[in-house]
Every structure is written in structure tokens, then in C-alpha cells.
Amino acid sequence: MKRYSIPAIVAALAILVSPACADNHAENNAPQFIRTANGASFDTDFTVAAENTVNAVVCIKSYTNQRQQQQQGYPGGGFNDPFFEFFFGPQQRQQQPRQQQRNSEPVQSGLGSGVIITEDGYIVTNNHVIADADKLEVLLNDNSTYEATVIGTDEATDLALIKIDAEKLHSITFGNSDDLKIGEWVLAVGNPFGFNSTVTAGIVSAKARSISQATRGGRMGIESFIQTDAALNPGNSGGALVNLKGELIGINSAIYSNTGSYSGFSFAIPTSIVKKVMTDLKQYGTVQRAQLGCTIAELDSKLAKEKNIKATLSGVLVIDVAERSTAMELGLQTDDVIIGINGTKIATVPQLLEQLNRYRPGDQITVTFVRDNKEMEKSGTLRNAHGNTNLTKKGEFSEVGCAFMKLNDETKRKLGIRNGVKVTGIKDGAFREAGIKDGFIIVDINGRAVNTSDDVEMIYNQIMKSDDDDKVMFITGLYPNGKKYYYAVNLSQE
């Protein structure tokens, strides 16, 4: 028997996978194999996509004043979570020099990425990149620097829209995330660890991926991420995920990691959601959310067997239907299984939520569902959380309709309180509608002590950014005569 050495075997295998060797064989009219496929699936030239993207991706530096930094402990805005903590560079946990700490100027507290979406300076990024910042600085790929203003934020989808005063910028082209296929090549472009315009490559690992279980319930209002294996690290957050045409198909937002650095999985918000949220923030200042108005659960084989559902083994099971809801108008009932929205197949809860995130209250919707193992289809009008089709207005702190005066120590001592602010100059607004009068002293709001107008405004902003359907200030306080009162101030803007 003839024996072969290991180097000889390796050399033989190399011939089988070497294009150059294949060409030589072809010239000798003795091909060992032929290619049976070509086109995009074998195109791994990333240069065009990279060139079309790097100039549209920016570095965003956030700055906060020292008072905020000392309150927060470190400038992370509360995102001390190994699954999301990748949007600040490593310098963010370092102690600032003492001389700098005494400076009243804001200091850098965060580092992330953003994507230019219009030539006149609108930029999309993650909400957590800019959260609680007093100043935002945007660095373009050509090293020019601009100060940015916040147009709108949406904590639920972790998206934000900011703007710089510039023209004729290199904006990115939007692609259609619905057209993505599992296994398709994608590029991630951002500023990991502060290294500007870094490009990494990977494939689409999954679509409509939910990560709430991994994040212990999560904070995010979307559960339909694009999962990739493109490497992301601190500073990539808010950057672009693009296809090989250089088209934006997602905003990089999270990684799955036990360390806070890349470990193999990363997640991006699909453009099907990004486009709608950005349009809402630009047009209305806040996101318009439509709801079906029913309690749901994901159908599995166990539930299907329990409910005697045989027509489908996937979909979204209706548990309960709320009054004055779209679900009630559609005639949905307990144990119905939603399998389609406007012609798009629905197999999971994340897919349902992704579809609903594309629409606003007042939009028409057609729902396909299974009842008693028979497929049915009905149409209705989407409503908001309050059961109507009104669009939400952007909440402004001035709409409370009054000013707030700090109390002196003597007044606090006389009233027997340790903290409080005085309502003054009341006019038409949420406070007057709740029955509050001039001179009322607020001791706490939603269980939190207040001492300044800034404290009240901070609580107001947190309420308005929350995902709660009912946005209410529960106020405890007293009038100068010492009589205690409780008020509920409705902040819902419709």
C-alpha cells in the first residue's frame, strides 16, 4: 500500500479549494470540479459597502455636568447590565482628575456611534448613548466636529434622533430589513473603544429575535432584533448594520455577553422599526404607538394540545380582550390564534410586536386568525392605549402650567417638613386641572422627595419617557395653613 505524508495530504486538499489551482486545471482541460453557484451568495467583497457607509457613521461623545455624575455614581445612566453595557468606552469608569472634577464645565461621560440619515444633519442613534447628557458632540469621519441638539428620544425602542447644523453631508441609504435572509453577509460600522470608522463583518444569524429572557425581562419595547455575529464592542452602539450594497438595515444596539465585550452575538434594531420611529420623532416629537388591546401568549405544542388547536402550531394566542380596543372591534376572542397582520405571517410574539410598531393609531389593519381550527380574517382601526385614535403630542414641562419656588429653612421648620417646593404663578395647565392652587407646597412626587424645580422637571421627564400607558404625577403636599392634600396630575398628552 502506498503511504502519503501529512504535508502531501494537506497539499492535495489545498488544490481542491484553491481557485488558482482550479484555473490551472481548466487550462489543462482536466478540471477536478466545477462551480455550481455564483452571484451574491459567494460575493464577499466588502469594500463597496464599507466605502458607502463609513462617511455616514459618526462618533457621538456625551458630556454631563459633575452634579449628575456624582448622583449617578458613574456615567452609565443606570445601564449596568452585561447585556447592554457596551456603549461607553473603557475610559468611562476611570476616575476623573481632581482638577477636572472641580471644573464646572461638563466632562465626557459616554461614547457611542450614530448614522447620518439626511444631508442636512439628522442623525439616528441609540437612546442610551445620549441619555442624561448635558452636551452632545458629533465627530464626522473627516474629523470635523459639531455640537448636536436632541430632536426626540424613545426609550422603549432605544432610539433617538439628534441634529447637527450642517449641510451636504454623506447620508446613508435605507434598505429593507424585511428582505434580509438568514446567512446573508452584513457589516457593522461604528466606533468601538473610540476607534473611529471601524468595520466588522458577519452574517445574519437570526431574525425577529427576542432577548427579554436573557435580560431578565428587559427594558426595551421591541423584541424583534436582527441577530448577527458581526463583532460589536463598547462604542459600537448606535452604529450602522448594512448589507453588501451599503444600505442601512439595522441600528446596532446590544450584545450578548457575560463580560460587556463581544462574545459572539450582537443585535440590531431593524430599519422597519427605525424608519417609523424616526419619522414620528421628526414629525410629532414623540412616537405614535398603536395597540391591539389584548393579552397574548406565544402558541407552542403544549398550549395547542391543551386548547385542542390543530390548524396551526405557531402564532399568538389571545388570552383576554380589553374594552374599547382594536381587538374588541375585530371581534377577537379568548383562544383565537393570530397568524397574520396585513398579509404578513405571524408565528411569534416578537413578530407581532414588530408589525404593530409600524403603524399609528388610526391606521387600518387586517388580522388573520384561527378560531375553532378555522382560518378567519377581519379588519379594523388601530387605537392607542386610551382606546381612541388620537395622536400623542410631545410633552413639555411648561405644560404643567406653573413655576416652582425653593423653600427656605425657616418655612420648612415651621411646617415641620424636611423638603418641598412651592407652587407659584399657576395658570392653565395640568396642575390647575388637577385642582392645585397657588401656594401649595409639594413634598414628594410619586414617593420621591423634591426640593427644587429641577427635581420636579426630572421626575416629569422620567414619567413622560416611561412605557406606562397612564402617565400620572401622584403628589403629596400641604398648604401654608398646614392642611395636607393629595393630587393626581394627569400628564397624558392627546
Side-chain angles (χ1 to χ4, degrees):
M1 178 182 292
K2 189 173 182 180
R3 299 178 181 271
Y4 294 92
S5 64
I6 291 178
I9 295 173
V10 172
L13 290 174
I15 292 174
L16 293 177
V17 297
S18 169
C21 292
D23 292 339
N24 290 337
H25 278 262
E27 291 175 2
N28 296 331
N29 296 319
Q32 300 300 306
F33 67 92
I34 59 173
R35 289 181 176 175
T36 59
N38 53 34
S41 60
F42 280 80
D43 181 8
T44 54
D45 181 1
F46 305 138
T47 57
V48 173
E51 289 171 1
N52 290 341
T53 307
V54 290
N55 291 317
V57 176
V58 302
C59 178
I60 300 176
K61 298 178 181 178
S62 61
Y63 295 81
T64 56
N65 58 43
Q66 284 303 127
R67 181 182 65 84
Q68 281 189 326
Q69 284 195 332
Q70 290 168 358
Q71 288 177 347
Q72 293 173 352
Y74 81 97
F79 283 86
N80 188 14
D81 189 308
F83 301 112
F84 288 94
E85 190 184 20
F86 73 107
F87 35 86
F88 296 113
Q91 78 278 11
Q92 307 315 318
R93 294 176 183 238
Q94 297 174 356
Q95 184 72 15
Q96 298 291 341
R98 291 184 179 180
Q99 183 176 0
Q100 188 179 25
Q101 286 185 345
R102 291 193 295 266
N103 196 328
S104 59
E105 290 295 317
V107 295
Q108 186 178 338
S109 59
L111 177 67
S113 304
V115 183
I116 301 172
I117 57 175
T118 65
E119 293 182 353
D120 58 347
Y122 282 94
I123 297 170
V124 59
T125 185
N126 283 142
N127 177 66
H128 67 247
V129 170
I130 67 166
D132 302 319
D134 292 302
K135 175 184 175 184
L136 294 173
E137 186 178 270
V138 173
L139 175 67
L140 303 189
N141 194 43
D142 63 3
N143 289 325
S144 56
T145 303
Y146 297 86
E147 189 166 336
T149 56
V150 177
I151 302 301
T153 63
D154 184 47
E155 187 174 1
T157 56
D158 194 25
L159 289 170
L161 182 65
I162 64 176
K163 191 180 187 305
I164 59 176
D165 188 13
E167 296 180 352
K168 298 181 180 180
L169 297 175
H170 185 102
S171 60
I172 203 160
T173 301
F174 271 81
N176 187 352
S177 57
D178 290 344
D179 294 338
L180 276 179
K181 296 180 180 179
I182 296 174
E184 182 177 339
W185 281 103
V186 289
L187 301 184
V189 185
N191 306 281
F193 300 112
F195 293 106
N196 291 351
S197 305
T198 296
V199 181
T200 56
I203 63 169
V204 176
S205 305
K207 295 176 63 177
R209 177 69 78 193
S210 172
I211 60 175
S212 61
Q213 186 175 5
T215 56
R216 297 178 295 280
R219 309 176 184 84
M220 311 188 76
I222 64 166
E223 284 299 334
S224 187
F225 292 92
I226 301 168
Q227 179 183 324
T228 80
D229 62 354
L232 298 183
N233 279 297
N236 268 116
S237 187
L241 186 72
V242 300
N243 57 25
L244 291 192
K245 297 178 183 178
E247 297 171 335
L248 183 71
I249 44 89
I251 295 297
N252 297 317
S253 185
I255 59 175
Y256 187 94
S257 171
N258 291 321
T259 64
S261 294
Y262 177 71
S263 296
F265 297 114
S266 54
F267 301 91
I269 304 166
T271 52
S272 59
I273 294 174
V274 174
K275 285 191 290 186
K276 191 264 184 180
V277 171
M278 292 303 101
T279 300
D280 281 356
L281 291 179
K282 187 176 180 181
Q283 186 171 349
Y284 304 104
T286 188
V287 178
Q288 307 298 326
R289 286 197 168 83
Q291 297 186 0
L292 270 181
C294 55
T295 307
I296 56 177
E298 197 161 299
L299 186 69
D300 55 23
S301 57
K302 183 179 178 181
L303 265 177
K305 184 177 181 180
E306 179 184 324
K307 302 290 184 180
N308 194 31
I309 299 171
K310 299 177 181 178
T312 180
L313 293 179
S314 64
V316 177
L317 184 70
V318 176
I319 304 298
D320 191 25
V321 175
E323 294 182 356
R324 299 174 59 219
S325 67
T326 303
M328 178 167 283
E329 179 188 346
L330 292 168
L332 292 180
Q333 299 176 8
T334 300
D335 293 343
D336 286 348
V337 181
I338 299 171
I339 59 172
I341 297 288
N342 284 355
T344 299
K345 184 179 178 181
I346 300 297
T348 65
V349 170
Q351 289 176 345
L352 174 63
L353 296 179
E354 179 183 355
Q355 288 301 313
L356 290 176
N357 268 300
R358 304 179 185 207
Y359 303 104
R360 301 183 180 94
D363 288 345
Q364 294 295 308
I365 192 172
T366 299
V367 177
T368 306
F369 59 95
V370 171
R371 177 184 297 166
D372 297 329
N373 292 311
K374 295 179 181 178
E375 188 172 307
M376 305 177 68
E377 189 174 273
K378 291 189 178 181
S379 299
T381 303
L382 284 170
R383 292 173 168 80
N384 58 31
H386 300 279
N388 58 55
T389 59
N390 295 339
L391 296 180
T392 304
K393 301 175 184 177
K394 182 181 180 181
E396 298 289 348
F397 182 57
S398 60
E399 293 177 0
V400 300
C402 63
F404 303 93
M405 182 183 299
K406 189 174 182 179
L407 296 180
N408 57 42
D409 292 338
E410 183 179 352
T411 301
K412 292 179 183 178
R413 181 178 54 80
K414 287 182 178 179
L415 293 172
I417 56 177
R418 295 179 179 178
N419 48 269
V421 290
K422 185 178 181 180
V423 174
T424 182
I426 199 161
K427 55 186 179 182
D428 289 341
F431 271 44
R432 173 174 283 181
E433 290 177 4
I436 297 175
K437 298 179 175 60
D438 262 337
F440 181 69
I441 297 169
I442 301 174
V443 176
D444 65 63
I445 301 175
N446 292 4
R448 298 174 60 180
V450 293
N451 282 294
T452 65
S453 176
D454 287 343
D455 293 338
V456 180
E457 183 172 4
M458 181 179 66
I459 296 172
Y460 172 90
N461 289 333
Q462 289 175 346
I463 293 172
M464 297 305 293
K465 289 180 179 179
S466 72
D467 296 333
D468 295 338
D469 293 338
D470 297 320
K471 301 183 185 300
V472 181
M473 278 185 170
F474 294 103
I475 296 177
T476 302
L478 66 165
Y479 284 96
N481 61 9
K483 192 171 183 179
K484 201 169 186 178
Y485 279 83
Y486 303 89
Y487 293 102
V489 180
N490 182 16
L491 301 178
S492 296
Q493 301 291 323
E494 293 189 354

